[in-house]
């Protein structure tokens, strides 16, 4: 079997409103958990309680995701500002 090799360069990753997307998803996980809690007995009777706990786990992991993407976004902005300051040179930096 021949080894597969890519024929073209990989595209750049898409950037978008990552923090808003992760926050929205986290809210949805918590809402789904809260909607299912009143029906916990129904889920327990059918041995489907993992549905409820999956939603709670999704919300908890989403909180970690929010923390992560906010720090990532801040790091990207710091790096961009540092590169722009470096490109501007010491002459303009001293005037500011």
């Amino acid at each position: 079997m021949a080894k597969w090799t890519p024929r073209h360069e990989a595209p750049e990753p898409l950037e978008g409103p990552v923090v808003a997307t992760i926050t929205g998803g986290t809210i949805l996980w918590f809402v789904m958990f809260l909607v299912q809690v009143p029906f916990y007995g129904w889920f327990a009777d059918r041995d489907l309680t993992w549905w409820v706990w999956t939603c709670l786990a999704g919300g908890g992991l989403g909180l970690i995701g929010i923390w992560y993407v906010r720090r990532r976004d801040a790091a990207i902005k710091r790096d961009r500002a540092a590169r722009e300051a470096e490109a501007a040179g010491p002459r303009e930096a001293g005037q500011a």
Side-chain angles (χ1 to χ4, degrees), residues 3-5 8 10 16 20 47 52 68:
K3 181 179 176 184
W4 180 83
T5 57
H8 53 81
D47 198 28
V52 178
Y68 179 83

Side-chain angles (χ1 to χ4, degrees), residues 22-64:
I22 300 300
T23 302
T26 302
I27 290 169
L28 285 174
W29 278 115
F30 278 124
V31 166
M32 288 189 299
F33 171 73
L34 293 175
V35 167
Q36 290 179 355
V37 167
F39 303 102
Y40 189 82
W42 184 89
F43 287 106
D45 292 343
R46 288 156 181 81
D47 198 28
L48 296 173
T49 56
W50 64 270
W51 284 20
V52 178
W53 301 119
T54 298
C55 292
L56 184 60
L61 291 171
L63 291 175
I64 295 169

